[in-house]
Amino acid sequence: MAQMTMIQAITDAMRTELKNDDNVLVFGEDVGQNGGVFRATEGLQDEFGVDRVFDTPLAESGIGGLSIGLALQGYRPVPEIQFFGFVYEAMDSISGQMARMRYRSGGSKSAPITIRSPFGGGVHTPELHADSLEGLIAQQPGIKVVIPATPHDAKGLLIAAIRDNDPVLFLEHMKLYRSFRGEVPEEEYTVDLGKADVKREGKDVTLISYGAMVHASLKAAEELEKNDIDAEVIDLRTVSPIDIDTIVESVKKTNRVVFVQEAQRQAGVASHVISEIQERAILHLEAPILRVTAPDTVYAFSQAEEVWLPNHKDIVNKVNEVINF
Amino acid sequence: MKHVLESVESQFETFQILDENGKIVNKDNMPDLSDDDLKELMRRMVYTRMLDQRSIALNRQGRLGFYAPTAGQEASQLGSQFALEKEDYILPGYRDVPQLIWQGLPLYQAFLFSRGHFHGNQFPEDVHALSPQIIIGAQYTQAAGVALGLKKRGKKNVAITYTGDGGTSQGDFYEGINFAGAYQAPAIFFVQNNYFAISVPVEEQTAAKTLAQKSVAAGIEGIQVDGMDVLAVYAVTKDARERAIKGEGPTLIETLTYRYGPHTMAGDDPTRYRTDDLDNEWEKKDPLVRFRKYLEGKKLWSEEEENKVIEEAKDDIKKAIKKADEYPKQKVTDLIGNMYEELPNHLQEQMEEYKEKESK
């Protein structure tokens, strides 16, 4: 098995699907000869030609609309939004158009589009690059929102996303792109969309997170272990729709939950998941569900972002609160 | 700088073939249409005018839902549609239901669309079109995508999309024409300039003297046409289509037209923003009147023929309304089932809930 960074795994997934299916098209701003600003599409244009892998004019709504039109001609577009903070420009294309295609046409048309976009903090980007806006799209029925935390999951989830006949937003945390390597099978495989993964088993408390916060949660679990607190870490992997069964099963075992998200507190994935848990498993809870999140400001200017972002110490503190409730 | 603008504007004079008296004023550009074609064009305009009148009446009786009147725009809508082939792809705006019907959408489905039933959007497989777009402009970026897809598939077909004068102010309008231009995709961008975006006149919409000149910035062909002249609209659309499939790129067509009725039947009152004088001036340009005069001059049309079409339309409408009435009622469980290809768990639960609710 190969050792790959997440970005290598992502490139590998696109290469696999470009090989497998002539209808797969990869496009976006600078994805062609330049290979993408993060090099996610590096070498793909040379390998598959400008007909399959190509640059677009600089316009996110246009990229969204182009994807829909190509999907209507039977293609499987894999467009890139260069930074997820630019997604506001494409909101109608995504939420108003592709997410409704199947519904609007009474099931007679679909939009098998996989939008890839880098997001996430801790890499000192300028404004409107790092913002965690997954909660925005996760509120829209008709589109799946996928956020991998490991190179292995990234490849399997991206292949599954490209093969899915409904639109998928595939968000790639910038800090995870090259921060570590993991084992990734060279052959093709898929990881089911809509399925959470228990990244660490434990019996005292459930930490639910996704993206970069999975790693902060795992680090917190190691710290907690020193004090004999055994934390279970669930990686949602897909934040819409939510795999509530895996969560409820864990809650029944641990009776305590801390939800960890990099996004601000006031809306997003945590709020929804916590509502679901209280409806389905309230009598299994020994303490209130607490959240570790960023504060309710616009994303931090870069000099303050290390403090603004949640970290493993914040998680340890919250876990101690629910344990000692 | 003023000089640049003037030199651009001077390139966009209104193209016309048939004047208001039904006389050919531009013989050289007369399209190659047989007598049967000419009669068919007239038939479609008469039929569509009747459909508009009946739709307005049905809406007032509460038997239709959302409806955007089309009278006045028949030459723009049907002249352009007549230039298309069956395999061409239409991305319409909310007023462009007639083009869909003549492209093959069954009338009862158009009525179901109006009533807000999803079956109105389940198009037959051989109708290559989207259902009418409600957001202004989104269809322009999508048309660029369909056109690029057609080009990649090596098909000799075009994507045509429609919006109004107001739509040209949208960012998506420019993104669509620019993308199609950059890829030399076989797209036709059609602007029906009926002078009012609901109530806002075109002079307040833009400082541009024509909307056709907006093509210049995207580097694509643009032309302004008399939108009440069905022969002119047909001719420019046909030409744009031929150039597009030859790989010569997209075209922006602006038609000067007018909607006699309100913006939609949902309470818009045109007397708040239009004068009788203006309405009368435009009714003199009526596309049906001038084309009828032209055909009568060629002994191709008669009152008898016209009445036959009107009766045919009335009969079709009656049957289609009956079919729409009898179509199974839409259920919330249908809507839940249409969200994704496979039902996720949370929707399976909600499906059960609504099955229960619907069984009562």
Side-chain angles (χ1 to χ4, degrees), chain B residues 108-216:
Chain B
Y108 85 97
Q109 284 193 267
F111 290 150
L112 285 173
F113 160 75
S114 168
R115 290 175 174 188
H117 190 303
F118 73 88
H119 181 58
N121 290 347
Q122 280 174 328
F123 286 9
E125 254 179 54
D126 67 337
V127 176
H128 303 279
L130 279 184
S131 43
Q133 180 59 252
I134 300 300
I135 281 287
I136 314 296
Q139 66 273 34
Y140 263 53
T141 57
Q142 294 169 22
V146 173
L148 179 60
L150 289 167
K151 184 178 175 176
K152 283 183 178 295
R153 296 274 185 225
K155 291 193 178 159
K156 295 291 172 205
N157 289 102
V158 299
I160 186 168
T161 184
Y162 294 86
T163 190
D165 35 308
T168 63
S169 297
Q170 288 277 351
D172 272 1
F173 166 83
Y174 177 72
E175 292 185 32
I177 63 174
N178 189 57
F179 269 60
Y183 296 123
Q184 289 292 288
I188 301 174
F189 298 102
F190 204 93
V191 178
Q192 296 179 79
N193 176 359
N194 64 21
Y195 286 85
F196 292 91
I198 303 190
S199 69
V200 178
V202 72
E203 300 82 24
E204 289 179 36
Q205 193 70 239
T206 177
K209 287 279 188 302
T210 69
L211 301 175
Q213 76 196 54
K214 295 197 174 205
S215 61
V216 174

Side-chain angles (χ1 to χ4, degrees), chain B residues 225-237:
Chain B
V225 192
D226 181 342
M228 308 299 258
D229 171 0
V230 73
L231 293 178
V233 173
Y234 172 82
V236 298
T237 312

Side-chain angles (χ1 to χ4, degrees), chain A residues 23 51 55-56 59 61-62 65-66 69-70 73-75 92 97 102-106 109 141-142 165-166 241 280, chain B residues 89 118 121-122 129 133 138 141-142 145-146 149-150 152-153 172 175 179 183 335 338-341 345-346 349:
Chain A
N23 292 313
D51 211 39
D55 289 318
T56 63
S61 186
L66 191 80
L70 287 165
Q73 285 300 317
Y75 287 100
D92 178 57
Q97 305 294 325
R102 183 178 296 282
Y103 177 83
R104 179 182 279 156
S105 65
K109 294 184 173 73
N165 283 331
D166 289 314
R280 292 164 198 268
Chain B
Y89 207 102
F118 73 88
N121 290 347
Q122 280 174 328
Q133 180 59 252
T141 57
Q142 294 169 22
V146 173
L150 289 167
K152 283 183 178 295
R153 296 274 185 225
D172 272 1
E175 292 185 32
F179 269 60
Y183 296 123
L335 304 182
N338 286 338
M339 278 314 308
Y340 298 89
E341 185 174 50
N345 287 345
H346 71 289
E349 292 175 2

Side-chain angles (χ1 to χ4, degrees), chain B residues 258 260 275-286:
Chain B
Y258 202 72
Y260 299 156
T275 61
D276 283 349
D277 284 352
L278 189 65
D279 285 352
N280 293 338
E281 192 189 309
W282 276 95
E283 279 179 31
K284 281 185 208 143
K285 299 179 183 180
D286 193 284

Side-chain angles (χ1 to χ4, degrees), chain A:
Chain A
M1 215 179 289
Q3 289 281 322
M4 286 188 201
T5 60
M6 188 188 275
I7 199 132
Q8 286 169 332
I10 286 165
T11 311
D12 195 38
M14 282 188 275
R15 181 180 291 112
T16 303
E17 288 311 279
L18 279 161
K19 258 186 215 157
N20 272 337
D21 185 348
D22 288 345
N23 292 313
V24 173
L25 301 174
V26 171
F27 53 88
E29 296 157 11
D30 306 296
V31 306
Q33 204 47 51
N34 193 42
V37 291
F38 291 99
R39 308 287 176 261
T41 52
E42 182 144 49
L44 296 181
Q45 191 177 65
D46 283 343
E47 197 173 338
F48 298 97
V50 289
D51 211 39
R52 308 277 312 280
V53 181
F54 54 94
D55 289 318
T56 63
L58 199 164
E60 285 75 20
S61 186
I63 292 170
L66 191 80
S67 306
I68 295 164
L70 287 165
L72 290 168
Q73 285 300 317
Y75 287 100
R76 307 186 80 83
V78 187
E80 179 178 293
I81 299 286
Q82 196 161 63
F83 288 95
F84 195 48
F86 309 165
V87 78
Y88 294 112
E89 300 284 334
M91 279 304 282
D92 178 57
S93 290
I94 297 172
S95 289
Q97 305 294 325
M98 65 181 77
R100 294 164 182 246
M101 183 60 77
R102 183 178 296 282
Y103 177 83
R104 179 182 279 156
S105 65
S108 63
K109 294 184 173 73
S110 63
I113 299 163
T114 302
I115 305 166
R116 292 180 40 253
S117 188
F119 84 119
V123 291
H124 302 296
T125 52
E127 267 199 281
L128 286 164
H129 282 63
D131 301 42
S132 292
L133 303 173
E134 64 278 8
L136 209 61
I137 314 284
Q139 289 189 50
Q140 172 66 53
I143 182 166
K144 299 172 185 178
V145 182
V146 174
I147 305 178
T150 67
H152 175 276
D153 287 353
K155 179 174 172 181
L157 288 167
L158 185 51
I159 292 175
I162 295 170
R163 292 179 186 179
D164 199 281
N165 283 331
D166 289 314
V168 177
L169 174 65
F170 191 87
L171 291 174
E172 303 162 6
H173 199 288
M174 284 184 267
K175 204 166 182 182
L176 302 184
Y177 267 155
R178 292 189 168 84
S179 55
F180 64 98
R181 285 171 189 274
E183 291 205 333
V184 177
E186 273 160 74
E187 64 274 15
E188 62 180 75
Y189 63 94
T190 57
V191 171
D192 287 348
L193 306 184
K195 197 90 193 82
D197 186 37
V198 179
K199 286 279 190 285
R200 183 188 197 277
E201 292 200 28
K203 57 178 177 28
D204 297 329
V205 60
T206 301
L207 299 175
I208 307 171
S209 65
Y210 56 92
M213 286 299 122
V214 171
H215 300 281
S217 299
L218 288 168
K219 197 169 171 191
E222 279 174 34
E223 294 277 316
L224 290 162
E225 200 175 7
K226 293 175 194 160
N227 295 324
D228 289 330
I229 297 169
D230 188 11
E232 178 143 305
V233 176
I234 293 180
D235 173 5
L236 289 177
R237 295 196 293 202
T238 299
V239 301
S240 178
I242 293 290
D243 175 8
I244 197 66
D245 294 344
T246 299
I247 294 168
V248 168
E249 201 182 310
S250 176
V251 173
K252 285 180 179 167
K253 182 169 68 171
T254 65
N255 313 113
R256 288 177 166 82
V257 179
V258 173
F259 196 104
V260 187
Q261 72 179 17
E262 190 174 306
Q264 296 88 334
R265 204 174 173 78
Q266 74 182 64
V269 179
S271 306
H272 175 58
V273 171
I274 292 167
S275 303
E276 291 286 335
I277 297 170
Q278 72 84 17
E279 269 192 26
R280 292 164 198 268
I282 195 163
L283 294 178
H284 293 277
L285 290 171
E286 300 282 348
I289 301 169
L290 296 184
R291 284 172 291 175
V292 177
T293 70
D296 290 327
T297 71
V298 168
Y299 192 87
F301 287 110
S302 60
Q303 284 199 19
E305 72 178 330
E306 291 306 331
V307 181
W308 189 87
L309 287 167
N311 60 39
H312 72 280
K313 287 180 195 152
D314 301 326
I315 301 168
V316 169
N317 292 341
K318 287 287 176 199
V319 169
N320 286 328
E321 275 185 56
V322 297
I323 295 285
N324 299 321
F325 179 74

